[in-house]
Amino acid sequence: MRWTFATGTIIPVFALLVLSACSTDYDVTEVAPAEHLVTDEHAGHDHAPGEPCYETDIESEQPLTGEETTSIDEEREAAHAGHAHDEGDRNHGTQWFFNQPWAAPFIWGKLVRDSLVFLALAVGIFFATRKRSKR
Amino acid sequence: MADVHPLQVKRLSKRFPRKRGLGSVQAVSDLSFAVRQGEIVGFIGHNGAGKTTTIKCLLGLLKPSEGSISLWGYTPASRKVRARIGYIPENPDYDDSFSPMEYLSMFASMRGLSGDDKSWLKLLKRVGLSSWETTGIRQFSKGMRQRMSLAIALQSNPDLLVLDEPTGGLDPMARKEFREIIIEENKRGASVFLSSHILSDVETICHRAVILSRGKLVTEGSMKELLGGENLYRIVVISRKTGEEIEEIIPEADLQSRIDSLRRDNLPIVKVEMALKSLEDVFLSAAGGESK
Amino acid sequence: MKTVFTFSLMTLRMLARRRTLWGILIVIFLALVGISSVPSFDVGNQGRFILDFGLFGIEVGALLLALGLASNLYPRDRETRSLMPLLAVPLARWQYLLGRFFGAALVQAAALIVTCLGLMLILLFHELPIPADLLPATLLIIVEGWFLLSTVFFFSFIASPPLNWPLTTMLFVVSQMSVSEFVGIMPSAPGFMRFVRLLLPHADVFHIKDPIAHGFEIEPVYFIIAIFYGLCYAAFMLSLALALFRGRDIK
């Protein structure tokens, strides 16, 4: 197998597969564990049990009980301890990241994965487009 | 590989796509020639004949549509062989913000040459820019930019000089100096591939010439072969439309048939004489015949 | 790599002598001075306001510098024919591209560090504390600037300089969007939009002005990973630019 063939075809295809293998990406809200589901974005609207949440893409399987609601409220208050925005304001930028430390390893993993994929693509394209120098 | 020529072009063709996908323009077609070690070869053709396209192909700036180019047995993509080439582009231009000394120092560093400011000053003196070494290229005339190009081309003591219209913007004195430098470089051992419109220059310094018309090779050979071959005749006739005299250069073999055809057309023939053969006559005869 | 290094120094000297760099720097400084002069309704928030908008100004400055320095580099070299003597003899195409990129990247980084120092001076002038993360945050903006620079180089091989500006700016804006925001542009084709977003960069990882302005603690590993991501994406964009450049005839 020629090196140019390997780098020119297999690596990009593999890289795209790796990238697209993940249905979710950097949106923390899309992968938040159940106990972290109630966020500023999620709090603003209601939907029926079993109906997919438009903003989080995660199905709410059961209606929240009174106890759960209380515990989530407590967590939410805790999460808001360092939050500078007013109640109900939407997070923006990377602030969500620093507000939700549980998400850090998830995001770091994504960043490292994508970095390596793009690095492999860059190296592959560099070698695949090289010109022959010998006749 | 002693028989490997510095430059060998085999069946080179280059097509450029037209805009909006309307076919393509054939710039060079099935061109083959070689530059042998120690030769100065002239590359002649009218405007748009494909000379610059060929030169750009052999420097790797353009990708040939068909055919192959070999520089000492390697493709133009090889940096090893390109390091052995000195190149003067047609209408050269450089970044205005630098001086010739700065440019030479940077080019030397990029080429991995060992040289100091003294040797670059000597080089600038050789090409006639000795009092301009720290002046910004912004202030240079076209001729001075040509000299600057020559300095860059000579900087690495190249084994092959590729010169694309190097004397285009120069006055007669500067042209003479350029010719002398080319001859000196050839004596040092460099092969030279010289594309030029100034046929007297080619005739003076070249060992061989390759004549191109409409992207095709018309003829090639040593100066002796080109100038000493078949006799040429000059026919002067009077145009029926404008009443002006028109001159034609005709090879001896075609002379009688041309005179017969002019007589049939009732065109008054003023004179028929043997032409003192110059490269210009050869070129006009060869390229003119091709374009008919 | 000596060839690339020399050519990047040549590019650096060339760009430093152009008026574009100094013009953009003046615009950024005027913006920073303007931001610091806005009277805050709440004295307690003055520092946060200057930091937040100051870092935003530097980030936009990185975009302006990338466009101003690089959008015209290759087209100008090609138009003036100064590209030919370079590519014909001493430089391979990848060396040309990397040399031009590193030269512009060094100029851009130096300019951004100067603007960061300017922001520090403004904070000192207002007797406000300088956060420890301000310099690392500027470093992240520099890496974002390099990513933008590589994008500008990529577009310069397929678009004219006037078209390069809107294309790069559009990518800059889009790359700040989250997946759900991006899908929201065309909700009728969520799958397609998700796929496209996967390939587009996530420049929001460089966007840490809010956490710094609000005094959040940022772990050093975050800076390292975000910088690594930015450099890898810039390398990817440059490789795409190189693929286009290598396939191109220099007429």
Side-chain angles (χ1 to χ4, degrees):
Chain A
M1 185 168 61
R2 282 175 66 97
W3 169 239
T4 50
F5 176 74
T7 52
T9 313
I10 295 176
I11 291 179
V13 168
F14 175 74
L16 289 176
L17 281 174
V18 170
L19 274 176
S20 56
C22 294
S23 59
T24 58
D25 210 75
Y26 292 78
D27 258 355
V28 180
T29 50
E30 293 193 351
V31 289
E35 66 269 27
H36 294 285
L37 260 180
V38 180
T39 64
D40 287 343
E41 285 175 61
H42 198 256
H45 66 281
D46 297 314
H47 48 78
E51 186 186 322
C53 170
Y54 175 74
E55 294 197 20
T56 62
D57 265 6
I58 292 173
E59 292 186 3
S60 55
E61 289 167 359
Q62 291 173 351
L64 297 171
T65 64
E67 280 173 34
E68 282 169 329
T69 311
T70 312
S71 72
I72 288 170
D73 280 348
E74 281 166 5
E75 276 191 28
R76 199 172 151 207
E77 277 170 23
H80 272 256
H83 201 301
H85 284 284
D86 290 337
E87 185 71 21
D89 269 7
R90 192 185 180 287
N91 281 328
H92 57 83
T94 47
Q95 196 160 310
W96 48 262
F97 173 78
F98 299 101
N99 279 343
Q100 299 168 76
W102 64 268
F106 168 77
I107 294 295
W108 290 347
K110 295 271 186 196
L111 277 175
V112 171
R113 178 204 71 182
D114 282 9
S115 303
L116 293 175
V117 166
F118 284 116
L119 191 62
L121 276 172
V123 173
I125 292 168
F126 179 85
F127 284 107
T129 55
R130 254 190 337 178
K131 284 182 182 168
R132 287 182 311 134
S133 61
K134 284 218 170 185
R135 287 181 71 204
Chain B
M1 299 233 287
D3 60 336
V4 175
H5 298 313
L7 171 62
Q8 183 136 32
V9 175
K10 279 185 187 163
R11 312 206 68 171
L12 175 72
S13 293
K14 178 64 189 173
R15 284 184 295 277
F16 292 110
R18 284 184 205 271
K19 280 185 180 167
R20 300 188 194 108
L22 299 171
S24 59
V25 179
Q26 187 86 33
V28 178
S29 178
D30 205 20
L31 178 66
S32 300
F33 66 89
V35 176
R36 293 189 280 265
Q37 179 58 43
E39 263 188 342
I40 305 180
V41 176
F43 196 41
I44 309 166
H46 54 77
N47 288 330
K51 300 189 300 295
T52 300
T53 300
T54 307
I55 286 176
K56 285 184 177 175
C57 284
L58 65 93
L59 291 166
L61 298 172
L62 296 177
K63 194 178 167 194
S65 305
E66 280 146 33
S68 68
I69 293 166
S70 151
L71 294 158
W72 293 282
Y74 290 84
T75 70
S78 164
R79 287 184 53 229
K80 199 168 83 179
V81 295
R82 281 195 316 188
R84 296 172 68 184
I85 297 176
Y87 167 55
I88 299 187
E90 186 186 17
N91 301 321
D93 209 346
Y94 300 95
D95 198 290
D96 279 350
S97 51
F98 295 103
S99 69
M101 274 301 278
E102 285 176 317
Y103 235 102
L104 283 177
S105 305
M106 286 182 297
F107 261 71
S109 184
M110 283 191 276
R111 292 162 137 179
L113 302 175
S114 56
D116 53 10
D117 285 359
K118 263 187 187 171
S119 50
W120 309 142
L121 275 172
K122 205 172 144 189
L123 181 60
L124 287 173
K125 193 177 173 187
R126 188 179 174 205
V127 299
L129 285 176
S130 58
S131 51
W132 300 90
E133 65 268 13
T134 52
T135 309
I137 296 175
R138 181 180 291 119
Q139 298 177 38
F140 279 17
S141 65
K142 192 184 174 192
M144 290 165 82
R145 283 167 198 253
Q146 297 277 57
R147 290 170 187 271
M148 174 73 207
S149 266
L150 183 62
I152 290 174
L154 299 180
Q155 189 181 30
S156 59
N157 290 324
D159 295 323
L160 174 65
L161 272 169
V162 178
L163 314 174
D164 192 1
E165 305 284 355
T167 53
L170 300 179
D171 58 57
M173 278 302 291
R175 267 174 49 203
K176 185 172 171 282
E177 287 168 22
F178 254 65
R179 284 199 303 265
E180 285 168 3
I181 288 175
I182 292 169
I183 291 167
E184 280 167 21
E185 284 299 302
N186 181 243
K187 281 181 181 160
R188 180 180 60 76
S191 309
V192 182
F193 185 57
L194 168 69
S195 159
S196 182
H197 277 306
I198 303 168
L199 300 181
S200 58
D201 284 353
V202 176
E203 197 175 332
T204 312
I205 62 173
C206 291
H207 302 128
R208 287 197 310 123
V210 175
I211 299 179
L212 201 64
S213 178
R214 299 186 173 208
K216 288 181 185 162
L217 178 75
V218 179
T219 184
E220 71 164 316
S222 67
M223 283 300 154
K224 207 173 170 183
E225 285 165 357
L226 291 172
L227 297 175
E230 193 180 18
N231 287 330
L232 297 176
Y233 284 83
R234 179 176 287 115
I235 305 178
V236 181
V237 293
I238 293 182
S239 163
R240 204 179 291 150
K241 280 183 190 166
T242 60
E244 288 174 0
E245 288 189 353
I246 304 172
E247 193 179 290
E248 280 184 44
I249 303 287
I250 304 287
E252 191 173 21
D254 300 340
L255 182 63
Q256 195 53 53
S257 61
R258 185 63 185 144
I259 290 171
D260 291 345
S261 99
L262 290 170
R263 281 182 180 152
R264 269 200 303 278
D265 295 344
N266 281 329
L267 277 171
I269 298 171
V270 178
K271 77 181 151 185
V272 176
E273 63 182 13
M274 198 173 191
L276 189 64
K277 213 171 181 184
S278 67
L279 189 60
E280 190 171 338
D281 297 327
V282 175
F283 171 66
L284 289 173
S285 163
E290 180 66 26
S291 64
K292 268 177 197 168
Chain C
M1 285 303 279
K2 193 190 168 199
T3 310
V4 173
F5 178 71
T6 310
F7 189 53
S8 60
L9 284 184
M10 185 174 163
T11 306
L12 188 149
R13 286 162 75 176
M14 183 186 81
L15 290 174
R17 290 174 190 182
R18 283 192 187 166
R19 286 184 205 133
T20 319
L21 169 69
W22 305 105
I24 294 171
L25 268 178
I26 289 168
V27 168
I28 299 172
F29 274 115
L30 286 177
L32 289 179
V33 171
I35 287 161
S36 69
S37 312
V38 173
S40 175
F41 48 87
D42 176 359
V43 177
N45 278 334
Q46 179 84 17
R48 189 188 296 172
F49 181 83
I50 293 176
L51 264 175
D52 198 336
F53 282 89
L55 282 169
F56 177 68
I58 295 177
E59 196 176 11
V60 174
L63 173 69
L64 287 177
L65 281 164
L67 283 163
L69 293 174
S71 66
N72 207 20
L73 268 179
Y74 168 71
R76 189 181 153 128
D77 280 346
R78 203 174 159 162
E79 205 172 296
T80 61
R81 295 164 179 258
S82 53
L83 185 64
M84 276 180 245
L86 288 169
L87 290 185
V89 182
L91 293 176
R93 295 196 188 195
W94 69 269
Q95 289 173 321
Y96 168 85
L97 186 66
L98 276 192
R100 283 284 189 238
F101 175 79
F102 285 147
L106 285 173
V107 172
Q108 189 192 36
L112 290 174
I113 287 169
V114 168
T115 55
C116 172
L117 294 175
L119 182 60
M120 283 181 177
L121 280 178
I122 287 169
L123 287 169
L124 284 176
F125 179 77
H126 287 276
E127 295 176 355
L128 294 163
I130 297 170
D133 284 336
L134 183 57
L135 267 178
T138 308
L139 188 61
L140 268 190
I141 294 176
I142 288 173
V143 174
E144 183 182 14
W146 288 348
F147 153 68
L148 290 168
L149 201 60
S150 63
T151 307
V152 172
F153 268 96
F154 169 71
F155 283 131
S156 72
F157 287 100
I158 52 172
S160 61
L163 198 57
N164 200 328
W165 283 68
L167 284 173
T168 305
T169 308
M170 205 164 68
L171 191 75
F172 174 73
V173 172
V174 164
S175 64
Q176 310 281 345
M177 297 170 95
S178 68
V179 176
S180 51
E181 281 172 333
F182 190 74
V183 171
I185 296 172
M186 203 199 288
S188 54
F192 173 73
M193 293 301 275
R194 271 179 178 281
F195 180 72
V196 173
R197 187 66 191 90
L198 279 166
L199 291 175
L200 290 172
H202 287 274
D204 47 349
V205 300
F206 307 115
H207 194 204
I208 57 163
K209 60 187 178 55
D210 284 346
I212 288 180
H214 293 138
F216 291 172
E217 195 180 325
I218 301 169
E219 291 181 57
V221 68
Y222 179 80
F223 286 108
I224 294 168
I225 293 177
I227 286 170
F228 180 62
Y229 174 77
L231 294 179
C232 289
Y233 212 108
F236 172 62
M237 292 305 289
L238 282 177
S239 71
L240 288 182
L242 181 64
L244 288 173
F245 190 27
R246 276 177 167 164
R248 184 146 298 181
D249 278 346
I250 309 295
K251 289 180 192 166

